[in-house]
Amino acid sequence: MSMPRSESLLARAYKVIPSATQTFSKGPNQWIRGVSPAYLERGDGAWVWDVDGNKYLDYLMALGPIVLGYGNDAVSKAVADQFRRGPVMSQMHPLEVEVAEEIVRRVPFADMVRFGKNGSDVTTAAIRAARAFTGREHIVYCGYHGWHDWYIGTTTRSGGVPGAVKELTHSFTYNDLESLRRELTARPNQVAAVIMEAVGVEIPEPGFLEAVRQITQEHGTLLVFDEIINGFRIRYGGAAEYYGVYPDLACFGKSMANGAPLSAVVGRRDVMEIFDDIFFSGTFGGDATALAACKATIEEFDRLSVIDHIWDYGRQLSDAISEMIASNKLENSIRLIGLDARSILTFPHDDEYQSRLRRSYFMQECHKRGLLFFGVHLPTASHGEQELNFTLDVYKDVFKLFREAHEKMDFEARMDGKVTEPIFRKP
Ligand SMILES: Cc1ncc(COP(=O)(O)O)c(C=O)c1O
């Protein structure tokens, strides 16, 4: 596929935008330079078009927000109507109440709701609330939770974060209760919150989430579930609802409003009431346009039984991929992990570069065939039979090529573009 406009935009971007991107995962070094498109300009259902007119089937869905599909009529109309009436107002808008009530009705552990604009807003709001509620300062986490100081200070991109802030956040390992106990017992009565995705790339071992719930209670520590990806996808109440283990606070974002920037922190009434006293407030906090998008998205969820559809599609996709991995005897080189509603293809290898090279080769061959593979499958209401058949046709070819490359060990020689780079480099 030819992509002169993508390349020319990228050249201009490097002159005026550091790293050429606003979102590291969308940046040019996360895709196959020379093969993947760099700029997408429109979408319809599950399909997207790059600036050079090439068409792709999308599975990354804007990193999660597009849960109904691009260009959903009901949401587009709700957004256009609300924007015309008043995108944000000088006082509160009734949609704040209506949408909060809808969320409380649908999310079993939500007594109250505060809205934000993105995932980082609400994970940070939850951390501040937990600190204020408990009078403690330390945080224990696993997984990714956004760009703010309290979290990113723990990563290799911690530049600009004060040392005093970094010292307050500690990691534990998912599915490893001992590592959680260790972090909590090392700081008795000092840990305000444990924050984690109830399920991310790894499935919880039986009893793990229940034990996390119990241990946090024993330590007087709040449990915050980051449902930014899972909320409004695997259940309205995300993984907490799916597994029946309820947190004190939970954070929602991504798929709430089919692409409009909206997030929410929800939870137990007594904890949420701490927001009366702390400062979490912003000009766009009650953005009526995003709330109108959320209301329309919820109505579409009901009308189209979206969550059931996502699971059903995901299950068919997972079954077919598992069969391809087995029939190509690639069990040690390609693994399908996660839940069917959010599955991930990984390319395990002891050497980090080799793993990246293999994933890059798989991406390259998918992109050439019009499948915008990034590793994760986030099915939407608009992934149907046609999309499934297209995916399986592409994967059939790509698995065969991958097996040949694996037999000959010539992945590097087969790369037409550049291998992706890690966002978090080893120090
Ligand atoms: C699990 C999780 N939490 C939090 C965030 C941060 O959300 P945002 O990028 O909208 O700030 C993300 C973003 O990818 C995420 O995947």
Side-chain angles (χ1 to χ4, degrees):
M1 288 181 198
S2 123
M3 37 200 74
R5 276 198 71 208
S6 257
E7 282 303 320
S8 127
L9 277 167
L10 206 46
R12 283 163 57 195
Y14 274 117
K15 291 188 189 141
V16 289
I17 301 171
S19 300
T21 190
Q22 325 304 325
T23 312
F24 279 130
S25 314
K26 298 184 190 178
N29 62 9
Q30 296 307 298
W31 298 84
I32 313 301
R33 245 344 256 291
V35 175
S36 316
Y39 292 89
L40 300 175
E41 74 183 348
R42 76 184 174 90
D44 183 10
W47 300 83
V48 290
W49 283 259
D50 71 13
V51 288
D52 292 287
N54 303 305
K55 181 181 175 185
Y56 303 86
L57 177 62
D58 196 359
Y59 273 104
L60 187 55
M61 308 319 288
L63 311 179
I66 307 298
V67 69
L68 299 173
Y70 293 96
N72 174 275
D73 286 337
V75 179
S76 304
K77 182 173 182 323
V79 166
D81 288 352
Q82 187 56 50
F83 203 84
R84 213 173 292 119
R85 278 198 296 267
V88 277
M89 312 299 284
S90 306
Q91 286 190 279
M92 298 179 292
H93 194 280
L95 278 167
E96 294 174 45
V97 187
E98 282 178 43
V99 176
E101 283 173 349
E102 280 297 334
I103 292 172
V104 166
R105 212 170 288 135
R106 282 152 204 273
V107 175
F109 44 86
D111 296 330
M112 299 183 94
V113 181
R114 280 292 312 268
F115 294 110
K117 294 280 63 180
N118 57 46
S120 304
D121 273 0
V122 289
T123 54
T124 300
I127 293 306
R128 183 171 298 166
R131 282 175 164 156
F133 184 82
T134 58
R136 302 172 177 186
E137 292 194 336
H138 287 265
I139 302 297
V140 172
Y141 80 97
C142 67
Y144 175 78
H145 303 291
W147 72 270
H148 291 303
D149 282 6
W150 70 268
Y151 170 74
I152 215 67
T154 64
T155 71
T156 55
R157 278 190 182 266
S158 65
V161 179
V165 173
K166 291 184 198 171
E167 284 165 18
L168 296 175
T169 307
H170 319 275
S171 72
F172 78 102
T173 307
Y174 191 81
N175 269 335
D176 180 351
L177 290 171
E178 266 327 294
S179 72
L180 175 62
R181 281 201 191 92
R182 216 168 27 242
E183 295 305 324
L184 290 171
T185 48
R187 297 168 193 88
N189 302 319
Q190 293 172 66
V191 179
V194 168
I195 181 167
M196 60 189 287
E197 280 193 283
V199 63
V201 290
E202 248 182 275
I203 305 285
E205 277 167 15
F208 171 68
L209 293 174
E210 290 79 358
V212 170
R213 179 63 283 188
Q214 194 183 334
I215 293 167
T216 47
Q217 256 153 7
E218 283 164 10
H219 284 264
T221 296
L222 295 186
L223 177 59
V224 181
F225 278 161
D226 178 337
E227 301 282 3
I228 304 283
I229 297 179
N230 294 328
F232 284 62
R233 166 164 291 280
I234 69 175
R235 290 286 186 270
Y236 280 114
E241 185 181 343
Y242 181 73
Y243 288 108
V245 175
Y246 295 169
D248 301 297
L249 292 174
C251 306
F252 291 80
K254 305 236 188 213
S255 18
M256 295 179 74
N258 204 43
L262 187 71
S263 58
V265 50
V266 312
R268 250 173 59 190
R269 182 173 303 280
D270 58 334
V271 183
M272 287 298 291
E273 280 175 348
I274 200 73
F275 282 105
D276 293 342
D277 303 325
I278 63 175
F279 198 84
F280 174 50
S281 169
T283 307
F284 291 102
D287 162 4
T289 315
L291 288 167
C294 181
K295 188 178 167 196
T297 301
I298 291 174
E299 285 163 6
E300 287 291 84
F301 261 67
D302 288 349
R303 189 176 71 82
L304 301 168
S305 303
V306 172
I307 293 175
D308 288 346
H309 175 82
I310 285 173
W311 277 99
D312 189 44
Y313 185 96
R315 207 166 293 124
Q316 292 182 61
L317 183 62
S318 296
D319 287 351
I321 293 174
S322 300
E323 200 282 315
M324 285 187 206
I325 293 174
S327 62
N328 284 287
K329 300 191 172 31
L330 286 168
E331 290 91 339
N332 294 328
S333 312
I334 302 184
R335 285 204 195 121
L336 185 70
I337 60 173
L339 298 173
D340 293 335
R342 176 195 173 186
S343 68
I344 302 154
L345 267 187
T346 64
F347 300 83
H349 197 286
D350 293 341
D351 178 348
E352 189 274 331
Y353 172 75
Q354 285 299 327
S355 167
R356 219 161 2 101
L357 170 63
R358 285 158 166 70
R359 176 170 168 272
S360 297
Y361 178 59
F362 199 97
M363 280 171 84
Q364 166 181 293
E365 295 308 321
C366 287
H367 297 180
K368 282 187 193 167
R369 289 163 176 77
L371 180 74
L372 208 58
F373 174 84
F374 195 73
V376 62
H377 303 109
L378 295 173
T380 69
S382 47
H383 286 81
E385 200 180 330
Q386 187 202 346
E387 286 73 19
L388 187 63
N389 291 338
F390 179 85
T391 308
L392 299 183
D393 282 350
V394 171
Y395 277 176
K396 216 157 128 197
D397 286 356
V398 177
F399 269 93
K400 186 166 166 284
L401 285 172
F402 191 96
R403 191 189 66 208
E404 286 167 16
H406 189 257
E407 279 161 11
K408 296 189 177 132
M409 277 300 149
D410 62 354
F411 288 102
E412 200 130 40
R414 290 171 180 247
M415 288 302 299
D416 300 323
K418 281 194 189 157
V419 173
T420 61
E421 290 172 26
I423 293 174
F424 296 104
R425 291 197 184 82
K426 290 226 164 75

